[in-house]
Amino acid sequence: MRVLLVGLMIGLISGALLGAMGYRTVRQWYLHPEAVMTLLQTNLAGLKGQQEAGQCVGQPLALRLFRLEAVSSEIVDAFLAPGAEDERFADLARKLEATVARLRMNPPTDCAGLERARAEIGQACKACHDLYRG
Ligand code: HEC
């Protein structure tokens, strides 16, 4: 009888622990996509702010582009649970990353250039949102 009770206790405790771990993992998956999109949005808005302030070249611009590129590279991991694959989605994420990478290596030299760069990035965001954002 005692053995049974001890066994039951161990079962209950480990069940609770595993459940809590699982909950945390799922919650992280759930939060990660929003976190990534928020960072993209923040940095794209940052570019707009710089343009409005007339700061269309230089270090702050490079930093925004660098961050946009880094976060773009994380979209697929954030959205697809391990094991899932969606080539079209991954392709659209890569397109955004490639667009930003090209702009980072060849940055705008004036405000008209920054305006074009923002439009190009916005297009790459929209291409995916049109298909995948509910
Ligand atoms: C490869 C696909 C893809 C690309 C590229 C992409 N997004 Fe998204 N984005 C999504 C999806 C899918 C959602 C909807 C997520 C949801 O509802 O859970 C979303 C949602 C969002 C949201 C709303 C987030 C929220 O809190 O619900 C914002 C803001 C956003 N994206 C900004 C951007 C910006 C800015 C870019 C470009 C710099 C971008 N996205 C590029 C797929 C993409």
Side-chain angles (χ1 to χ4, degrees):
M1 192 59 192
R2 228 174 160 179
V3 174
L4 261 180
L5 270 179
V6 171
L8 188 67
M9 289 304 285
I10 292 175
L12 282 175
I13 292 169
S14 49
L17 283 175
L18 280 174
M21 279 162 62
Y23 174 75
R24 275 185 50 184
T25 309
V26 168
R27 194 172 148 77
Q28 272 165 7
W29 281 342
Y30 177 69
L31 291 178
H32 197 179
E34 267 189 31
V36 165
M37 288 300 146
T38 302
L39 284 173
L40 290 176
Q41 183 64 46
T42 306
N43 283 293
L44 190 57
L47 286 179
K48 184 173 185 216
Q50 279 174 242
Q51 188 186 334
E52 282 165 0
Q55 296 164 348
C56 300
V57 291
Q59 189 54 33
L61 178 71
L63 185 59
R64 293 283 180 201
L65 291 170
F66 174 77
R67 287 178 183 161
L68 276 169
E69 184 183 347
V71 178
S72 302
S73 75
E74 202 167 340
I75 294 176
V76 170
D77 283 352
F79 273 86
L80 302 180
E85 270 182 33
D86 183 335
E87 261 317 305
R88 191 170 61 162
F89 186 85
D91 211 47
L92 288 161
R94 270 194 298 270
K95 274 199 184 120
L96 172 63
E97 193 184 342
T99 301
V100 179
R102 181 166 46 72
L103 291 166
R104 182 178 60 75
M105 287 182 277
N106 206 348
T109 50
D110 56 18
C111 286
L114 180 53
E115 171 89 36
R116 280 195 301 278
R118 281 180 39 228
E120 261 190 82
I121 297 171
Q123 281 296 317
C125 307
K126 188 174 180 303
C128 186
H129 289 165
D130 282 351
L131 285 169
Y132 286 95
R133 192 171 166 180

